[in-house]
Amino acid sequence: MSETTASVTSGTVVIAESATARGRRARLALRGLQVLLALFYAFASALPKLIAHPSAAEAFNEMGWGSAGMYSIGVLELAGAVALLIPVLSSVAAVSLGALMVGAFITQVTVFGGENAATPLILILPLALIAWARRRDAAELPRLVRGRS
């Protein structure tokens, strides 16, 4: 177990965890998972949509969304992939991609008869883990946005 220490500096409580080998391995494994998911979303999911690969174009035409829907989903997936690699955005990206996967699951079930419905469900699990584990990084986001305006 890692030790947790608390110190009070000018009314603010600062909590710092000691850097144990177990903690370093967990952070490294989480970072590796983020990189793997980012690569998957960028190359296996977004790229076919953005280059209008025939399989992606056919699926979006079958849904009635056409090329506009295909490119929109591709851009969202690519943005999510990039944001997974940015620490302050990784939790928000994981939640957003998770929401996109809920939509993909619903689409797979209603339009395609559930043929590939397991894939988005499987992807939601590591995305939920990332969202939860990186939630403290996301807490800095409002402060960073306010600081720039």
Side-chain angles (χ1 to χ4, degrees):
M1 283 197 207
S2 68
E3 297 176 15
T4 303
T5 59
S7 63
V8 178
T9 311
S10 66
T12 305
V13 176
V14 179
I15 298 175
E17 292 187 23
S18 65
T20 63
R22 183 178 178 186
R24 282 192 301 272
R25 285 192 305 266
R27 284 192 305 275
L28 187 60
L30 184 65
R31 191 66 178 158
L33 180 62
Q34 287 175 246
V35 169
L36 284 174
L37 281 174
L39 289 171
F40 170 80
Y41 277 105
F43 293 106
S45 194
L47 186 62
K49 294 172 183 81
L50 296 174
I51 64 170
H53 189 272
S55 64
E58 180 182 315
F60 278 87
N61 286 333
E62 187 175 333
M63 287 187 290
W65 292 13
S67 61
M70 179 179 64
Y71 291 127
S72 297
I73 299 295
V75 166
L76 290 172
E77 288 175 339
L78 184 59
V82 171
L84 275 175
L85 301 175
I86 301 171
V88 74
L89 297 176
S90 60
S91 181
V92 175
V95 169
S96 301
L97 287 169
L100 201 59
M101 291 302 97
V102 169
F105 171 75
I106 292 168
T107 302
Q108 286 295 327
V109 169
T110 59
V111 176
F112 299 108
E115 186 177 326
N116 294 313
T119 303
L121 289 180
I122 292 167
L123 289 169
I124 286 174
L125 296 175
L127 290 169
L129 174 66
I130 292 168
W132 179 80
R134 298 293 188 197
R135 67 192 182 281
R136 289 190 182 107
D137 294 332
E140 292 183 37
L141 193 55
R143 184 184 58 79
L144 291 172
V145 170
R146 280 192 304 268
R148 294 185 186 222
S149 44

